[in-house]
Amino acid sequence: MTLLSVENLRVTFDTEAGVVEAVRGVSFSLGRERLGIVGESGSGKTQTGRSVLRLIRPPGRIEADRMNFDGIDLIKASERDMRALRGPRIAMVMQDPKYSLNPVMRVGQQLMEGLRRRDGMGKKEAHAKAIEALAAVQIRDPERVMDAWPHELSGGMGQRVMIAMMLIPNPDLLIADEPTSALDVTVQAEVLSILDNLVRTRGMGLIFISHDLRLVSRFCDRVLVMFKGKVVEELPARDLMKAQHPYTQGLLNCLPRIGGPREPLPALDRNADWAR
Amino acid sequence: MALIEIENLSVTFTAKGRPVRAVKGVSLAVEQGESYGLVGESGSGKSTILRAICGLAPVSGGTIRIGGQPLPSPRGADFSRRVQMVFQDPYASLHPRHTIDRTLSEPLAIHGIGNTDQRVTQALKDVGLPPNFRFRFPHQLSGGQRQRVAIARALMLEPSILLLDEPTSALDASVQAETLNLLNRLCAERGLTFLMVSHDLAVIDHMCDRILVMQHGQAVEELPREALAKAEMKTDYARSLFAASADRMLDA
């Protein structure tokens, strides 16, 4: 069943220096599965993710032939309808907990804010729900974390708090924008297994945006490779290491390998025909 | 005699009135011209060791010697000429309101080195940036370009030792490759000694000759590069770290 379908999505920014096209005609559809979007910085992968929630501020513009989420036209929906979607139906986990959590609000307050305001829940009930959400992302001492300030949390803890916050309303689609790139390998593995478990048990759709090809190939079902605002290749994640497109191959080859040769790493060719 | 000798180093911070021991009795020695890697998860104290060498962390025990000499406190001008550091986040480590020119010429001014104009132009050339970047501000550069500026700044005083704190973990794979190639080229050209921190075993393997695995502020195991690729580690922790990076192996 298709949860989200996007056809010919374009995101453009009118700047003083002219029109910048961040996303140029991206199409994809998503069921209840894990879709990875990979590419370098500036390839438009984050803008694609944000467009689904219509979180592009002027002077940015979103245009698409079609953008449907579970029968709702995301292009025509009013701002009021979009607000009702953001959070309860489609949630987004941002890249960096340092910048995405409110620094002057205790973690517990931030977790309960939505429950109290949106769902009109009582203090006690909201507290219990928040604790439950923190436990679901395997935070060992949820009571202490509830009382902590964001700066008192490590990167991995902050990231888990953000994931917990997004999962409280039980969304159908989770967009995770580089959720693990600020974390080291061991914590990364932990956060991924939490996400994986949640996708399986709750039947969510997941858009996983990352620049780490190895991570995406291990973790996702399907992968879109983006370059300069276009999808250059779409393939099953397990075949990523056997990618055909020269750009995808280039991205793979420039990674150092344990036990690899000590010669300079091959640089990525950004000037070939397919880049235009 | 090793160029950098660290013996039984301890660093203790005070957090909320309680002592936090970030580094507990770590010893290591780095030879002239060697690349030495520190790996471990966040909070294992690997960056703190680099900061302690620079005098940026409260050393509570042990000694640090460079070229056989114990380091003075505060570190002083001679130290800056021999040892420079490149930080993890190129967005945070460059002054946002100084032009690249000002960032690069400041160390020259402090140390009373003349010929600024030519040295700045040469420094940009050495790290592969076009000369017209000189009068840009950091926000007008990409992450990879900023990290090149940070490397250029560290090399302005022609130091013999570079301390690299996760120099590529904020960068994309392709930009990471370019930055690692740049560091290797500079190392070969100038005979630099690297002490490098990373949590990416593949990056450390690509760059370093010897590796120290750290956990909870303690040294767990020292490995030569060859032993890493053959998975010949003796401790469980080093093995589990290696297992988490298994997809970074050559044949994965």
Side-chain angles (χ1 to χ4, degrees):
Chain A
M1 194 199 84
T2 312
L3 194 60
L4 174 73
S5 69
V6 175
E7 254 172 54
N8 199 14
L9 172 72
R10 292 177 307 279
V11 179
T12 46
F13 291 86
D14 296 316
T15 64
E16 280 168 29
V19 178
V20 177
E21 294 182 295
V23 179
R24 303 184 292 167
V26 165
S27 305
F28 64 93
S29 64
L30 174 83
R32 300 197 179 263
E33 59 179 334
R34 296 165 298 183
L35 175 73
I37 303 183
V38 289
E40 294 175 272
S41 33
S43 60
K45 53 192 194 307
T46 298
Q47 297 304 334
T48 303
R50 293 182 77 99
S51 307
V52 174
L53 282 164
R54 283 217 338 236
L55 285 176
I56 308 259
R57 272 186 213 154
R61 283 197 318 266
I62 305 171
E63 292 158 4
D65 293 353
R66 210 160 71 94
M67 195 155 75
N68 274 347
F69 170 75
D70 203 14
I72 304 162
D73 187 341
L74 294 178
I75 292 289
K76 293 213 182 77
S78 66
E79 202 41 43
R80 196 193 165 96
D81 292 339
M82 283 311 292
R83 265 206 303 278
L85 279 178
R86 290 180 197 132
R89 304 291 315 273
I90 312 176
M92 186 158 183
V93 178
M94 307 281 178
Q95 182 166 2
D96 197 334
K98 257 194 295 213
Y99 300 112
S100 310
L101 292 172
N102 185 343
V104 292
M105 211 168 157
R106 287 183 195 271
V107 169
Q109 292 295 320
Q110 297 188 49
L111 279 166
M112 294 190 299
E113 192 181 25
L115 290 169
R116 307 257 292 149
R117 294 228 174 162
R118 181 185 56 229
D119 306 333
M121 219 177 250
K123 216 173 184 174
K124 248 191 180 153
E125 202 183 344
H127 187 87
K129 262 229 136 136
I131 294 268
E132 192 185 306
L134 288 177
V137 293
Q138 286 160 35
I139 282 184
R140 259 156 270 156
D141 191 357
E143 288 286 355
R144 187 185 66 83
V145 172
M146 288 286 280
D147 276 333
W149 297 101
H151 73 265
E152 295 173 318
L153 303 178
S154 68
M157 293 263 266
Q159 202 68 49
R160 278 186 268 183
V161 166
M162 293 212 297
I163 294 174
M165 198 180 288
M166 293 308 132
L167 292 171
I168 286 178
N170 217 348
D172 297 299
L173 173 61
L174 184 68
I175 302 171
D177 185 7
E178 308 256 10
T180 59
S181 35
L183 311 176
D184 60 45
V185 267
T186 36
V187 188
Q188 200 171 54
E190 246 174 78
V191 171
L192 285 181
S193 74
I194 291 167
L195 272 180
D196 187 48
N197 191 19
L198 294 166
V199 170
R200 277 169 207 276
T201 54
R202 303 191 185 198
M204 280 191 316
L206 175 72
I207 298 181
F208 188 86
I209 299 168
S210 174
H211 66 251
D212 191 334
L213 278 95
R214 283 179 287 218
L215 198 68
V216 168
S217 73
R218 217 172 25 168
F219 180 65
C220 294
D221 301 312
R222 211 148 48 86
V223 182
L224 301 179
V225 184
M226 282 188 73
F227 178 72
K228 288 194 176 168
K230 281 188 175 165
V231 174
V232 295
E233 192 167 15
E234 180 179 347
L235 70 173
R238 60 178 180 282
D239 296 340
L240 191 62
M241 296 297 153
K242 291 176 242 151
Q244 295 303 309
H245 197 280
Y247 177 71
T248 319
Q249 287 175 346
L251 273 183
L252 285 168
N253 290 337
C254 66
L255 296 167
R257 303 260 198 275
I258 296 172
R262 264 314 181 49
E263 48 208 49
L265 298 161
L268 193 61
D269 182 7
R270 297 193 188 82
N271 299 315
D273 281 340
W274 43 264
R276 301 224 173 90
Chain B
M1 184 185 64
L3 184 60
I4 307 172
E5 293 168 285
I6 295 179
E7 253 170 57
N8 219 0
L9 178 74
S10 295
V11 177
T12 310
F13 294 99
T14 314
K16 290 186 179 166
R18 274 181 310 156
V20 176
R21 300 188 64 199
V23 179
K24 303 171 199 164
V26 172
S27 302
L28 60 93
V30 186
E31 301 294 328
Q32 166 87 41
E34 193 184 25
S35 289
Y36 194 93
L38 296 172
V39 289
E41 55 194 276
S42 331
S44 61
K46 51 196 195 309
S47 299
T48 308
I49 291 181
L50 298 195
R51 300 182 71 92
I53 296 174
C54 293
L56 298 172
V59 174
S60 56
T63 51
I64 306 173
R65 283 192 300 274
I66 294 205
Q69 301 295 317
L71 295 173
S73 241
R75 290 293 184 260
D78 281 344
F79 176 81
S80 315
R81 287 203 180 198
R82 301 191 72 179
V83 185
Q84 283 289 324
M85 185 152 167
V86 176
F87 294 90
Q88 173 172 12
D89 189 348
Y91 294 87
S93 61
L94 298 177
H95 196 301
R97 297 185 64 172
H98 286 183
T99 58
I100 304 311
D101 181 65
R102 189 163 170 196
T103 298
L104 294 183
S105 39
E106 198 168 11
L108 298 176
I110 291 170
H111 290 264
I113 300 169
N115 207 359
T116 312
D117 212 46
Q118 197 228 320
R119 279 174 190 268
V120 169
T121 328
Q122 186 60 39
L124 284 175
K125 202 175 148 201
D126 286 347
V127 296
L129 289 174
N132 61 354
F133 272 40
R134 211 176 142 179
F135 298 104
R136 290 200 187 186
F137 285 95
H139 73 263
Q140 294 167 312
L141 307 182
S142 70
Q145 289 165 343
R146 283 182 218 210
Q147 200 58 304
R148 282 170 191 259
V149 171
I151 293 168
R153 174 180 61 186
L155 293 173
M156 287 313 283
L157 298 174
E158 298 175 351
S160 52
I161 299 170
L162 268 196
L163 307 177
L164 303 162
D165 188 3
E166 308 256 14
T168 61
S169 58
L171 308 175
D172 275 0
S174 52
V175 183
Q176 165 173 291
E178 288 161 16
T179 310
L180 294 180
N181 288 346
L182 168 69
L183 286 170
N184 272 333
R185 176 169 65 79
L186 292 168
C187 179
E189 283 171 7
R190 304 181 179 213
L192 297 171
T193 303
F194 284 165
L195 180 54
M196 179 167 172
V197 163
S198 180
H199 63 249
D200 188 332
L201 275 178
V203 168
I204 286 284
D205 179 77
H206 185 74
M207 300 290 291
C208 298
D209 309 311
R210 275 191 302 148
I211 296 153
L212 183 70
V213 179
M214 292 188 61
Q215 186 190 25
H216 306 320
Q218 280 161 325
V220 174
E221 188 174 356
E222 193 182 75
L223 290 160
R225 176 174 185 256
E226 298 74 37
L228 182 69
K230 290 184 203 138
E232 285 169 352
M233 42 283 286
K234 293 180 193 78
T235 54
D236 288 341
Y237 180 70
R239 202 167 291 119
S240 73
L241 202 65
F242 181 76
S245 314
D247 58 341
R248 292 180 157 87
M249 288 295 289
L250 187 58
D251 306 316

